[in-house]
Amino acid sequence: MKKIFSLLLILLATFPTFAHVGSSGVLLQGQAGPYRVLVNVQPPDVIPGTAKVTVFVENGGANQVQARPIYFRSGDEGAPTYDDIPAVAGQLGQFDGIVWLMEWGSSSVQVVIDGDKGKGELVIPIVAVSTAERDMPVELGIGLGLLGLLLVLLLVTVIGASVSDGLLRPGQHLTPQQKRKRWINMGIATVVCGVVLYTGSSWWDSWAADYRQWIYKPLKAKTQVAIEDGQRVFSLQVDTTNWKNQRRGNMLSYLVPDHGKLMHLFLVRVPGLDAFAHLHPERRDSTTFQAYLPKLPAGKYLVYADVVQYSGFAETIMDTVEIPALPRAEVLALKKTDDEDTYVVTAPLNNAKKVPLDENVVICGLPGTRTQLTDGSYVVWEGTAGRAFEAGKPYQLSFEVFDPDGKPATLEPYLGMPGHAAIVRSDGSVYIHLHPTGTYVMAAEQSLTGRIADTARTYKRPVPAVFRDSIDRYLASLKTMPAAEREKYLMQQMGMTTATASTHTGMEHGHRISFPYAFPKEGQYRIFLQIKRNGQVITSVFDARVTDSTTL
């Protein structure tokens, strides 16, 4: 079993890891002016290509939906015209269509809705990159090869006949000189055709090689845990080898904070997914990030580190790391890199075995069950016990939080949002950091919205050192704020004001929180829900079973 799982971990390094792992689409739940909508965008895996856009208008009568791509480099001034997104017959409020993506990099889809409530629009940030290379089907290749050979033979034959047989009168035969001339010209034609075919093949190979250089290559990093003064220190060093060929340049100087943090690090112990941490490493130098580890049990952990560039290009760095046991049995005080760093321990996936009770040990829940939290309150995951989810189908994962006495709990903002969730498949091939607004990155939306408002057709990048210094000073200023003031500021920065919280974040009630998500494939998943109460970040854990739609 360990050998099989180690092989799976190696294979994970080949998966596309922009913004999240294993989930190609982007779900956004929010407001388009007066309309509450859920938008699902499925980007292509080859650029240029078409993105599938599905819009669900939940209120009002929408008469027309249009969409267009807006690229970060060219902005609104260089964007193409809108394409109509047709309504789906028999499905009230649903519109399906496509949008062409012609440029590589950070992009967005701008959706405009027109109906009985007037007009509304919103921007869905996406990453437009090539992640695949199409292979020609063997049958098609053989057919085209035979057809090409036939055309070459016909061309050579026609050229030979045109300089010999075409000069004959009825009843005449070719002279030896004419026969020789025909063969010479057919030979020349064969050589010319060969040169043309070779030149075409070379051009195609060159074009294909250039295309391969543009295929997205996930960020790589070396992670390790060292013991320093009795503390376990996690270190992540980004591998910049071959960055020149990958056209990455000095991208690490252009990282921007998301929810007030430059990096969101998730650690999940394998194979049981029974230990989880959400940390926020600090940048030590241009390539190195470090964080003190909490009281996590020893073992092998999956590493998912989320970062965002100023252009809105969001990526997840993946690795595995071996975390050793604490250097001594009793540690009086473990250091924290960030006050909002959290961890939790629970039972292994598909295993009811009890774990030793501790202040950070929780019981794992299922749909329809009541799950106790460490502060005495509890969470109920709305749904039917034993329910299986269908792969590829959008769901609202809704949770209700109650005080120990059964009254609806009051949730406090956590990193500028009512709550967060991380979802991991049992083999680690799917990971996503979810918010009530959807699967997109908030910092990416802010960057692209700001770029659209910019009237410059071409964006001019700031000086790397100056930009990085400004970000470091901004992060330092956030750390000096009291927690309540910082949360209020982050909420305002991301448009999560009190007035819009219920419509823009999935919080229909103060104690109820929803996350839109479509599980990408069948399997067992673990959901780590994070909320904040009484100044304390609390994590609850739930398991989900997903079935392939063809087997339902």
Side-chain angles (χ1 to χ4, degrees), residues 363-374:
I363 304 301
C364 191
L366 297 169
T369 62
R370 165 177 166 169
T371 304
Q372 201 77 18
L373 300 177
T374 54

Side-chain angles (χ1 to χ4, degrees), residues 10 40 61 67 86 98 129 133 174 183 210 228 249 288 303 323 330 335 338 374 384 417 452 463 469 488 500 544 551:
I10 294 173
N40 186 7
I98 62 170
V129 292
E133 184 178 10
L174 291 175
W183 285 109
D210 184 66
E228 298 180 7
T288 306
V303 177
I323 295 182
E330 294 292 334
K335 294 182 179 180
D338 190 280
T374 54
T384 305
M417 297 292 290
I452 291 172
V463 178
D469 181 63
K488 181 179 179 181
T500 61
T551 64

